[in-house]
Amino acid sequence: MASAFSDQPFTVERHGSEVTVDLSALRVLDEGAVQEIREPLLLIAEKESHGTLSLNFKGIEYITSSMLETLIHVHRKLKAGGGRLVLSHLQPQVHEVFEVTKLHELFEIHKETP
């Protein structure tokens, strides 16, 4: 699927009822990156609230609390519509952030190796 968000620093692909967002080009999800991707991610979550939204974190080396907040909002939008959020390909240091914050208990995290 060609993305309606082609001007964004991520790619979007559809596979049946699953939409995959590849964030790997960003490398660092700091405040600037989060400000750039927050609204598009929330729009995708709203549009796809009945399906599965999979976020590919392959290559992401750093994640801030504002990105965690964004993920919580995306998760809530999807859950309200009966959909689900899946996080995949987390680097060990990023996965550790989810464990320390206990968010690994909230999110569905697939442990594919990067």
Side-chain angles (χ1 to χ4, degrees):
M1 162 179 154
S3 171
F5 299 99
S6 58
D7 60 333
Q8 297 301 324
F10 55 74
T11 58
V12 180
E13 294 182 8
R14 176 180 292 284
H15 305 282
S17 65
E18 182 172 342
V19 173
T20 301
V21 175
D22 185 352
L23 299 170
S24 62
L26 295 169
R27 294 283 186 227
V28 175
L29 293 176
D30 60 7
E31 298 304 317
V34 173
Q35 291 299 318
E36 191 174 353
I37 67 173
R38 176 185 217 120
E39 287 306 312
L41 284 179
L42 290 170
L43 287 171
I44 293 169
E46 189 173 312
K47 181 179 177 190
E48 304 297 332
S49 64
H50 58 282
T52 300
L53 176 58
S54 178
L55 301 181
N56 179 354
F57 281 80
K58 186 174 184 174
I60 300 295
E61 300 169 357
Y62 180 78
I63 186 170
T64 63
S65 60
S66 63
M67 185 61 192
L68 295 176
E69 178 186 357
T70 297
L71 292 173
I72 292 168
H73 287 291
V74 168
H75 171 75
R76 287 180 181 158
K77 279 190 179 287
L78 289 163
K79 188 173 180 181
R84 67 190 242 260
L85 175 63
V86 176
L87 310 179
S88 65
H89 298 96
L90 276 66
Q91 297 288 326
Q93 67 272 23
V94 172
H95 192 270
E96 184 177 352
V97 171
F98 285 90
E99 289 179 352
V100 167
T101 59
K102 304 286 187 210
L103 289 173
H104 68 289
E105 297 172 6
L106 175 66
F107 296 118
E108 183 177 341
I109 299 174
H110 291 189
K111 298 186 178 188
E112 297 93 344
T113 54

